Amino acid sequence: MLTEQMATDPLRAAAHGTPPLAARLEPWMRDLLSDPGECDRLLRTYGSPVNVHDFTPLQRNAAEMVQSGARHGVPLRVFVARKANKTLGLVEAVKDLGHGIDVASERELRQVLDLGMSPADIILTAAVKPERLLRLAMERGVPVALDNLDEALLAQQVSSGLPAPSPVVLRMAPEPAEGLAPTRFGESAETWLSFLDDHPLEAAGQRVDGIHFHLHGYSARDRAVALTQAIEFIDRLREGGHAPSFIDMGGGVPMSYLNDGEQWATFWEQHEADLLDGGTTQTWRGDGLGLRVEDHSEGPRLTGVRDVYPYHQSPVRGEWLDAVLTTQIAPGVTVAQALNERGITLRCEPGRSMLDGCGLTLARVVFRKHTSDGVPIVGLEMNRTQCRSTSADFLVDPVLVRTGSQARGASHKEAWNGNDGAFLVGAYCIEAELILRRRICFPAGIDVGDVIALPNTAGYLMHILESASHQIPLAANVVRSGAEFVRDGIDLG
């Protein structure tokens, strides 16, 4: 059954999962998706799929973080993770708002420098930093987050011949205490302190500007634990004569794709019940999305973990940061108080949560058919890498925009009505080439030439894994410029 909200909302009612996972839509998205002519024009002009961007929500998203810091007296700077979205339009928006950029490759760094970003507004956090990349950053005065001792030694070789001290940031691997998950990023504080004793930074033409860490997941408590360790590390560095002024807690700032937390809970309840029942599921070939059924003496049980992003979360962004900063780390002392007492600025490098509401992907319907065992499928002119991050699926309902122009007989269209639904498949010649692994219902039918919109894909989903396999071109990227959408500069070389 459709929720009452979806039943009265034509954008949601035209396509939905069962149970539904209705996307939170920005006003600009609603305006575009309510204009079939414009959606059709974008695809005819730029090809399918096309990634559509409007970076207006970025200002609100970043402000939530900055305002949270201000509520607790903590200066906070946002460095948006460039790897989350490759457009130059994002860089321009970040620059105009006065925030910073986190870059992860030489091309990303060259592009932001060419667009006039100040080195002080950039941080290089690439997981692998060849000498060429280190040299570019250090010659331009861009702070470099050093991840390991081999990298640190190479950086000292590069910086030793430069005329001015190079700013470095030591990436600390928090000790996996108090339930904190282990991480592959960084070195322990003790390792760094020993390295500094043996390899003085001053002799290598470097200075320590700050501490960095990167954690997996979105736990406010884990961030507070890691910040506690980073504050202790700052104290010891200052005792040793260094002058770090900030802690950068990396990314992992939560956001929510769905407004309705009950829909999220209901989906998992039904999905798990279907898996245990062993009957028809709402996923392709019974895909468990990270869960699997194992037989036990007391009956079937689910094992594994949900291999998906938490598409509904609360709190997010500013309220989440409130929880981090108000965590007590000593009797009567919160994270915020410990930072304030030491004059430490807090930094973060969110990607997905800053791009919340900034983009969607449009793709053309090119066929409808059934598999040899009778499963309905709908073919889209795109491939699965063009809406995918590192998890098992994108668990947000698409939006159907009726632009199909071919006349169809009622009997043919009827096969695509009702609640049986169909699976969206893509262009790669692979059996499991699924755009979404959930069954999607089209109560009013779906026609060749119609448009499927995948909402809120700007953060990672468009670009992090996109592939041009089969020599199919990558998706075009357009960005709002005034009242129009124009090709982003990243596509123009």
Side-chain angles (χ1 to χ4, degrees), residues 82 103-114 124 126 128-134 136-137:
R82 177 76 194 290
V103 296
S105 71
E106 182 179 347
R107 282 190 177 182
E108 288 186 0
L109 177 55
R110 287 192 183 279
Q111 288 164 2
V112 300
L113 288 170
D114 289 347
L124 172 63
V128 174
K129 304 182 189 71
E131 180 179 350
R132 176 181 168 119
L133 174 56
L134 285 171
L136 172 63

Side-chain angles (χ1 to χ4, degrees), residues 83-105:
K83 58 184 173 287
N85 186 282
K86 70 182 184 182
T87 58
L88 302 184
L90 170 62
V91 180
E92 296 284 11
V94 170
K95 180 184 173 186
D96 290 346
L97 293 171
H99 298 300
I101 286 278
D102 159 32
V103 296
S105 71

Side-chain angles (χ1 to χ4, degrees), residues 193-216:
L193 290 167
S194 177
F195 176 84
L196 296 177
D197 287 341
D198 296 336
H199 302 85
L201 295 189
E202 296 83 356
Q206 294 180 357
R207 67 172 191 268
V208 178
D209 277 11
I211 301 304
H212 183 284
F213 63 83
H214 176 81
L215 298 181
H216 183 69

Side-chain angles (χ1 to χ4, degrees), residues 66-403:
V66 175
Q67 291 165 4
S68 171
R71 283 195 292 271
H72 304 283
V74 176
L76 180 133
R77 288 214 64 195
V78 173
F79 285 71
V80 180
R82 177 76 194 290
K83 58 184 173 287
N85 186 282
K86 70 182 184 182
T87 58
L88 302 184
L90 170 62
V91 180
E92 296 284 11
V94 170
K95 180 184 173 186
D96 290 346
L97 293 171
H99 298 300
I101 286 278
D102 159 32
V103 296
S105 71
E106 182 179 347
R107 282 190 177 182
E108 288 186 0
L109 177 55
R110 287 192 183 279
Q111 288 164 2
V112 300
L113 288 170
D114 289 347
L115 287 172
M117 290 286 294
S118 167
D121 293 332
I122 306 169
I123 184 168
L124 172 63
T125 62
V128 174
K129 304 182 189 71
E131 180 179 350
R132 176 181 168 119
L133 174 56
L134 285 171
R135 187 168 299 280
L136 172 63
M138 291 181 156
E139 287 179 347
R140 299 293 292 271
V142 173
V144 177
L146 298 176
D147 178 78
N148 56 75
L149 302 190
D150 289 330
E151 186 172 277
L153 287 171
L154 177 59
Q156 289 199 349
Q157 294 175 24
V158 172
S159 63
S160 61
L162 299 179
S166 297
V168 298
V169 183
L170 304 180
R171 179 178 276 164
M172 179 196 76
E175 298 292 337
E178 302 180 58
L180 195 67
T183 175
R184 77 175 184 91
F185 294 103
E187 301 277 9
S188 70
E190 293 297 335
T191 299
W192 280 122
L193 290 167
S194 177
F195 176 84
L196 296 177
D197 287 341
D198 296 336
H199 302 85
L201 295 189
E202 296 83 356
Q206 294 180 357
R207 67 172 191 268
V208 178
D209 277 11
I211 301 304
H212 183 284
F213 63 83
H214 176 81
L215 298 181
H216 183 69
Y218 307 94
S219 166
R221 177 190 166 280
D222 286 355
R223 295 307 182 288
V225 171
L227 281 167
T228 303
Q229 295 185 28
I231 290 168
E232 294 171 354
F233 189 15
I234 289 264
D235 288 344
R236 295 183 66 183
L237 286 167
R238 288 177 173 178
E239 290 169 1
H242 301 284
S245 61
F246 66 82
I247 297 173
D248 188 327
M249 63 177 183
V253 175
M255 61 162 280
S256 193
Y257 288 81
L258 314 173
N259 280 331
D260 192 336
E262 290 186 8
Q263 286 188 353
W264 185 239
T266 298
F267 166 75
W268 283 106
E269 289 170 5
Q270 181 167 327
H271 179 60
E272 292 175 6
D274 287 345
L275 290 174
L276 288 170
D277 181 61
T280 301
T281 68
Q282 294 302 311
T283 55
W284 177 259
R285 308 295 191 200
D287 190 312
L289 304 176
L291 301 176
R292 60 185 181 275
V293 180
E294 290 188 356
D295 291 327
H296 291 264
S297 57
E298 299 177 0
R301 294 181 183 177
L302 289 176
T303 61
V305 295
R306 298 174 181 177
D307 182 23
V308 295
Y309 185 84
Y311 284 91
H312 182 271
Q313 297 189 81
S314 182
V316 299
R317 283 187 293 268
E319 292 183 356
W320 172 86
L321 185 58
D322 288 341
V324 174
L325 294 175
T326 56
T327 300
Q328 284 205 356
I329 60 175
V333 180
T334 64
V335 170
Q337 290 167 335
L339 293 170
N340 292 336
E341 289 170 1
R342 294 163 175 81
I344 299 173
T345 297
L346 185 61
R347 295 186 177 186
C348 59
E349 298 163 3
R352 192 186 297 256
S353 64
M354 291 301 100
L355 289 157
D356 182 12
C358 292
L360 56 79
T361 299
L362 302 178
R364 187 79 76 183
V365 175
V366 291
F367 68 76
R368 304 160 301 169
K369 62 175 289 187
H370 291 77
T371 64
S372 61
D373 58 345
V375 178
I377 56 176
V378 172
L380 302 185
E381 191 179 355
M382 67 178 293
N383 69 69
R384 61 178 172 171
T385 74
Q386 292 169 319
C387 180
R388 190 63 51 89
S389 59
T390 56
S391 64
D393 201 19
F394 178 54
L395 297 183
V396 180
D397 286 354
V399 175
L400 174 64
V401 182
R402 304 308 301 266
T403 59

